[in-house]
Amino acid sequence: FYAVPATAIDLPPRLICSDVTVDTEGPTAVTYVATVEDESPVGIQASTASGDLFPVGTTEVTVTTDPDALGSVSSCVVRVVVN
């Protein structure tokens, strides 16, 4: 009988991004939500921070997790629309 050693399955952090639309007359500060789920605490980085000033139009914000304990990362895009 030969036993095969178990190996950890490296699932990347689960990153959840939500688009947001704001109706206003010009550039405005916009708060968006991006949350991460992982077995260990993982930070996130964004190309434009939540709460920053966004111009009229659509801005795509790339959100990326910091590497988890096994080095995996995830990313998603938040579309911020200012009308």
Side-chain angles (χ1 to χ4, degrees), residues 11-38:
L11 298 175
R14 183 170 183 241
L15 187 57
I16 304 160
C17 292
S18 300
D19 295 343
V20 62
T21 299
V22 178
D23 292 319
T24 186
E25 293 183 25
T28 191
V30 177
T31 301
Y32 60 82
V33 176
T35 56
V36 63
E37 297 174 357
D38 196 59

Side-chain angles (χ1 to χ4, degrees), residues 32-81:
Y32 60 82
V33 176
T35 56
V36 63
E37 297 174 357
D38 196 59
E39 294 83 28
S40 58
V42 177
I44 59 173
Q45 308 298 322
S47 58
T48 306
S50 178
D52 276 1
L53 192 66
F54 285 82
V56 172
T58 302
T59 302
E60 290 191 347
V61 178
T62 301
V63 181
T64 305
T65 64
D66 294 332
D68 67 6
L70 296 174
S72 296
V73 297
S74 292
S75 63
C76 63
V77 173
V78 175
R79 286 170 193 79
V80 177
V81 179

